[in-house]
Amino acid sequence: MNERYSRQILFREIGREGQEKLLTSRVLLVGCGALGASHAEMLARAGVGHLRIVDRDFVEFTNLQRQTLFKESDAAERLPKAIAAKTRIAEINSEIDVKALIADVNRSNVESLIDGCDLVLDGTDNFQVRYLLNDACVKHGKTWIYGAAVSSYGTTMTIIPGETPCLRCIFDEMPDAGSSPTCDTAGVIMPIIATVAAAQVAEALKILVGETDSLHRSLLQFDVWANDRQRIKLGEPNPDCKTCGQRIFEFLDAEAQEFSAVLCGRNAVQIAPPKPTSINLQQLAEKIRNITELKQNKYLVRFTSGGTEVTVFGDGRAIISGTDDISTARSLYARFIGS
Ligand SMILES: [Zn+2]
């Protein structure tokens, strides 16, 4: 084993045996924004051998204040976050195998995404995906680590199906859209991202090396500005919980899914095709070039129409910035990409 990990091996609780376990571990990172980028960097440096990174978005200049893996050139090129992360990780630790997926995590793909992973880390920015992830992980007995940060406060909890309460045991109902502050409405500072991500990754390392007696088994809450820390001890799973008690997977089994979503206060709407698809970006670019000017890279095509900017990905999704009106976004999608 190379000297790269010598200080981590000296740490008794990991040791040589733990390091070997890390090198063969597989972790799914759901979302590669502020939390996800921190998870990816810490896990890659620690030598977690296989990372599957899924993210639906591209790098913007507003991300650079807190999303540590990304550079100005990534934002200038509008590189998808999953791709930018993979490229940067290869420079940090070339021994790590990274699968980068530019995709929205939804009902149709969440079970295949978690399949084969030892652990799932939550780096998303919305409850819709977290409840879906909770359903999928409880159903398949996968451990996942919830994390969220906004403004100067954040929270995390480790969910081991059958052993600890699940997300729904604690938060029975999903908060109403617009009821919680988001990074785009309340802002966010880097130190809380680092705090929550560090707590999540510490738990991840304990799980991957098998040191489960050291897990915090709590709902941890931090406020780095108000200097508050709370540790609420978790009890047993709630037998009445819909998800882990009754095993009713409402989010996974939902008959219809909303495939357009207003992106968290960003003045942008995402439109996704109703089933997984792949589109030929080159053909699309040629078609659109006749109508309006466009920019493209290997992973996306982007153009403006009226006051909006449309970014189309290879999986058929589009993010329409400059509007939060779903019908405007839908009609642009139909007009340029096809309904
Ligand atoms: Zn539960």
Side-chain angles (χ1 to χ4, degrees):
M1 203 172 299
N2 64 38
E3 64 183 350
R4 174 193 293 266
Y5 306 114
S6 64
R7 300 305 185 272
Q8 194 164 274
I9 289 168
L10 278 173
F11 179 65
R12 231 172 357 125
E13 287 76 359
I14 292 183
R16 193 162 289 275
E17 204 183 312
Q19 188 61 50
E20 269 159 19
K21 286 182 186 159
L22 295 180
L23 289 167
T24 57
S25 292
R26 295 173 183 275
V27 176
L28 171 67
L29 305 183
V30 181
C32 195
L35 287 173
S38 298
H39 301 150
E41 178 172 354
M42 283 192 262
L43 293 176
R45 287 188 190 276
V48 172
H50 307 270
L51 301 178
R52 192 179 287 176
I53 301 177
V54 51
D55 191 278
R56 65 184 179 185
D57 221 338
F58 50 83
V59 183
E60 294 180 280
F61 280 96
T62 57
N63 302 148
L64 299 180
Q65 160 254 354
R66 65 194 181 284
Q67 304 193 7
T68 49
L69 273 182
F70 308 132
K71 304 187 291 190
E72 288 182 356
S73 59
D74 299 330
E77 289 173 46
R78 297 258 173 144
L79 274 187
K81 289 182 179 178
I83 300 294
K86 181 183 162 86
T87 308
R88 187 73 197 283
I89 289 169
E91 294 166 354
I92 293 170
N93 188 346
S94 58
E95 294 169 1
I96 305 301
D97 152 50
V98 180
K99 297 258 178 315
L101 296 140
I102 310 163
D104 196 26
V105 175
N106 57 44
R107 183 172 63 94
S108 71
N109 63 9
V110 65
E111 287 174 281
S112 64
L113 284 170
I114 67 171
D115 187 41
C117 288
D118 300 308
L119 181 67
V120 179
L121 276 178
D122 169 23
T124 65
D125 59 1
N126 70 87
F127 271 97
Q128 221 169 342
V129 175
R130 289 190 186 111
Y131 278 80
L132 184 66
L133 209 53
N134 188 58
D135 267 13
C137 287
V138 169
K139 181 175 173 188
H140 296 283
K142 295 270 176 209
T143 298
W144 74 283
I145 305 176
Y146 158 61
V150 66
S151 181
S152 62
Y153 49 88
T155 184
T156 177
M157 168 177 147
T158 300
I159 293 148
I160 307 177
E163 202 177 309
T164 71
C166 79
L167 185 70
R168 239 182 146 185
C169 289
I170 307 294
F171 307 107
D172 182 27
E173 294 296 327
M174 183 160 29
D176 291 335
S179 67
S180 324
T182 72
C183 295
D184 300 278
T185 57
V188 63
I189 53 172
M190 178 74 206
I192 190 59
I193 300 291
T195 302
V196 173
Q200 286 178 284
V201 171
E203 291 280 280
L205 295 178
K206 295 171 202 171
I207 290 163
L208 296 174
V209 305
E211 274 273 310
T212 51
D213 287 350
S214 304
L215 295 171
H216 59 67
R217 297 184 189 272
S218 315
L219 181 68
L220 291 183
Q221 296 176 323
F222 313 93
D223 188 325
V224 293
W225 207 264
N227 311 306
D228 274 344
R229 272 168 178 261
Q230 278 194 41
R231 181 176 175 188
I232 303 158
K233 271 282 183 197
L234 297 175
E236 296 291 307
N238 174 4
D240 298 328
C241 168
K242 265 221 171 99
T243 306
C244 71
Q246 303 175 41
R247 297 187 71 79
I248 299 169
F249 304 113
E250 283 182 336
F251 297 90
L252 211 48
D253 298 337
E255 279 286 310
Q257 192 165 348
E258 184 59 79
F259 281 95
S260 49
V262 178
L263 298 179
C264 140
R266 227 178 73 179
N267 198 26
V269 176
Q270 172 180 272
I271 304 286
K275 52 178 195 254
T277 181
S278 77
I279 61 170
N280 185 324
L281 287 176
Q282 198 50 44
Q283 275 177 11
L284 178 73
E286 278 157 25
K287 193 172 85 179
I288 290 170
R289 198 170 278 123
N290 296 324
I291 313 169
T292 177
E293 217 177 293
L294 66 84
K295 292 197 170 136
Q296 68 183 118
N297 62 36
K298 226 168 105 190
Y299 313 100
L300 55 85
V301 167
R302 146 173 86 99
F303 56 92
T304 53
S305 172
T308 62
E309 186 182 77
V310 182
T311 305
V312 188
F313 297 89
D315 63 355
R317 280 179 312 113
I319 292 178
I320 293 115
S321 314
T323 182
D324 53 14
D325 181 55
I326 288 180
S327 58
T328 303
R330 276 201 178 286
S331 70
L332 279 166
Y333 188 93
R335 192 170 137 209
F336 289 102
I337 300 127
S339 46

